[in-house]
Amino acid sequence: GGKTVRELTIGGAMPGDVNSDGVVNITDVTMTISHILGQNPAGFNAAAADVSGDSVVNILDVTTIIDMILGK
């Protein structure tokens, strides 16, 4: 199986790519969790983290990013 490339961008960022490195991976998950816990991860892009589109970054976004990584 190959990798799915997502071309959609929101606010100049690929959904789920919270650190803007061009890849959605576990780093994006950990940065999003850090943000939810009130930390301020350097380079965090809240617009990219809000993959559910509800204007709130929460656990739903974390699980959606994980699903994106797993190809679900």
Side-chain angles (χ1 to χ4, degrees), residues 28-39:
D28 301 298
V29 173
T30 57
M31 285 183 74
T32 303
I33 292 169
S34 294
H35 172 79
I36 292 168
L37 293 175
Q39 299 168 5

Side-chain angles (χ1 to χ4, degrees), residues 5-70:
V5 177
R6 298 181 184 271
E7 297 294 330
L8 175 69
T9 60
I10 297 172
M14 179 171 57
D17 182 19
V18 304
N19 64 348
S20 304
D21 67 353
V23 180
V24 178
N25 59 24
I26 192 66
T27 303
D28 301 298
V29 173
T30 57
M31 285 183 74
T32 303
I33 292 169
S34 294
H35 172 79
I36 292 168
L37 293 175
Q39 299 168 5
N40 188 18
F44 181 78
N45 183 330
D50 182 24
V51 291
S52 67
D54 63 359
S55 300
V56 179
V57 177
N58 58 25
I59 194 67
L60 175 59
D61 299 300
V62 172
T63 57
T64 303
I65 294 170
I66 292 169
D67 286 347
M68 291 168 69
I69 294 167
L70 296 175

